[in-house]
Amino acid sequence: MTIRPYTHKVQYYETDQMGIVHHSNYIRWFEEARVDCMEQLGYGCKKAADSGVDFAVLSVFCEYKSMTRFGDFVNVGLDVTSLTPTRITLKYTITDSETGELRATGETGHCCYHSIKKRPVSLKKELPELYRIFDGIKAKKEDVN
């Protein structure tokens, strides 16, 4: 399955007094892209949460490449770069929707956490269908490289 990039329109409140997007917003856009990805996969965050599984953030990294301003549209591409039964790492590429200019790259690391059992769990056992989907995305990416 191919994940379409998430598109975001930069809002005024996301900018600083220089009119440039404040750095913290890129992390929010990563989350928006994750939520959108889950919906594209047919596993919206609510569906996963209703089954007791959540994806706790363990790490976040962002490298800023060029400025983004109010009114710009950006695409947030998402790839699965690492997957184990209990952890997943996602890579993000933020580009200007119009010009394709690279705005930022980043990565988030997550563990599969069971909200009822209150501990990390195996996604492969708890939601095997979702694990297979993520594994397929990762394998497809590896075939391209």
Side-chain angles (χ1 to χ4, degrees):
M1 168 174 238
T2 302
I3 302 168
R4 292 180 315 279
Y6 168 72
T7 301
H8 177 84
K9 180 181 180 184
V10 177
Q11 302 300 310
Y12 182 76
Y13 69 85
E14 295 175 307
T15 62
D16 59 20
Q17 78 187 116
M18 295 181 290
I20 300 166
V21 170
H22 188 270
H23 64 275
S24 64
N25 290 293
Y26 292 83
I27 306 304
R28 289 183 180 95
W29 300 346
F30 291 171
E31 183 170 338
E32 290 173 13
R34 281 195 309 275
V35 169
D36 181 69
C37 169
M38 295 292 286
E39 289 171 359
Q40 288 184 51
L41 299 176
Y43 258 93
C45 291
K46 181 167 175 21
K47 182 176 180 179
D50 286 349
S51 70
V53 176
D54 203 350
F55 298 91
V57 177
L58 300 175
S59 63
V60 177
F61 170 79
C62 187
E63 186 172 358
Y64 308 98
K65 303 292 188 175
S66 62
M67 292 182 283
T68 307
R69 299 180 185 278
F70 169 64
D72 288 353
F73 283 86
V74 293
N75 290 330
V76 185
L78 181 149
D79 287 309
V80 176
T81 58
S82 175
L83 179 68
T84 71
T86 58
R87 292 182 181 221
I88 186 168
T89 303
L90 304 172
K91 177 184 175 186
Y92 306 86
T93 305
I94 299 178
T95 57
D96 184 280
S97 295
E98 188 176 312
T99 67
E101 183 178 3
L102 184 61
R103 299 295 188 205
T105 59
E107 185 176 280
T108 57
H110 307 264
C111 78
C112 303
Y113 183 82
H114 202 285
S115 60
I116 297 166
K117 297 175 184 177
K118 304 290 186 208
R119 63 179 176 82
V121 293
S122 169
L123 182 64
K124 195 172 187 177
K125 290 180 182 175
E126 296 291 330
L127 293 174
E129 179 185 359
L130 183 57
Y131 181 86
R132 280 192 300 277
I133 292 169
F134 281 140
D135 194 40
I137 293 167
K138 181 180 171 286
K140 189 175 186 180
K141 176 73 174 162
E142 289 171 348
D143 290 345
V144 172
N145 292 333

